[in-house]
Amino acid sequence: MTPKLTDSIMHELQEVVDRKPGLSLEEISRRYDMFEQLAEDGAIAETDQIYLKMKMVGAYLLSLKGDFTECLRLLYQILALAHKLGQRDGERRTLNNIALVRESLGEMFEAIDIWEEILREDISVADRVLYTNNLGAAYK
């Protein structure tokens, strides 16, 4: 039985997105499963702000399990949705995560290409530092 989308449940999901300290991996997984059920039942739409962020949590959980194939599949779905919704920042963050997974798989050239492409854009200083650091680590 799917729980109803209440303010309390939205708060629980937001805590996951905000990376609230003290949440165990089991609790994050439980909340992600709850999100998936709510999304499947239509209580949370793809256009809701929390949707893409929670999907990224799902990709993170897959990567922790070592299921990089499914993680990449989900990340490419997130990328397509962010593009469809016109969320360029979401696209960049997803591309960064794709590059990180590719790097973990030893696909260094693919990862480097992604970060170099992102760095050609007009991005914030904080993002430029993050992506430059990731690129530098890949070059090592």
Side-chain angles (χ1 to χ4, degrees):
M1 178 175 183
T2 304
K4 292 196 185 257
L5 185 59
T6 63
D7 288 341
S8 174
I9 288 174
M10 280 302 290
H11 180 74
E12 285 186 38
L13 297 179
Q14 192 62 48
E15 286 179 338
V16 171
V17 168
D18 293 341
R19 299 180 181 149
K20 178 185 175 192
L23 287 179
S24 69
L25 186 55
E26 293 78 23
E27 181 62 18
I28 293 169
S29 294
R30 182 193 70 75
R31 292 180 188 193
Y32 181 76
D33 290 343
M34 182 173 51
F35 157 76
E36 280 288 302
Q37 190 61 56
L38 287 163
E40 184 178 306
D41 291 348
I44 297 177
E46 289 181 340
T47 55
D48 291 339
Q49 282 191 336
I50 201 161
Y51 187 89
L52 284 177
K53 294 174 183 176
M54 284 301 294
K55 283 295 192 177
M56 290 292 256
V57 170
Y60 168 74
L61 292 170
L62 288 168
S63 72
L64 289 179
K65 293 178 185 175
D67 192 347
F68 296 115
T69 302
E70 278 301 304
C71 179
L72 281 173
R73 184 191 60 73
L74 181 54
L75 286 170
Y76 280 110
Q77 287 177 353
I78 295 166
L79 181 62
L81 181 57
H83 180 75
K84 175 181 156 186
L85 296 174
Q87 295 183 4
R88 185 61 192 144
D89 187 57
E91 288 179 72
R92 277 192 297 271
R93 293 187 188 292
T94 305
L95 285 168
N96 180 58
N97 286 327
I98 289 169
L100 289 169
V101 172
R102 295 251 179 239
E103 181 183 33
S104 295
L105 292 171
E107 299 172 359
M108 299 310 247
F109 293 114
E110 291 84 350
I112 288 168
D113 285 346
I114 291 169
W115 284 313
E116 286 179 343
E117 186 66 32
I118 292 171
L119 287 167
R120 287 186 193 101
E121 296 182 30
D122 183 24
I123 56 177
S124 71
V125 172
D127 283 347
R128 187 161 301 283
V129 169
L130 171 67
Y131 303 137
T132 301
N133 285 339
N134 290 346
L135 179 61
Y139 273 121
K140 285 184 182 183

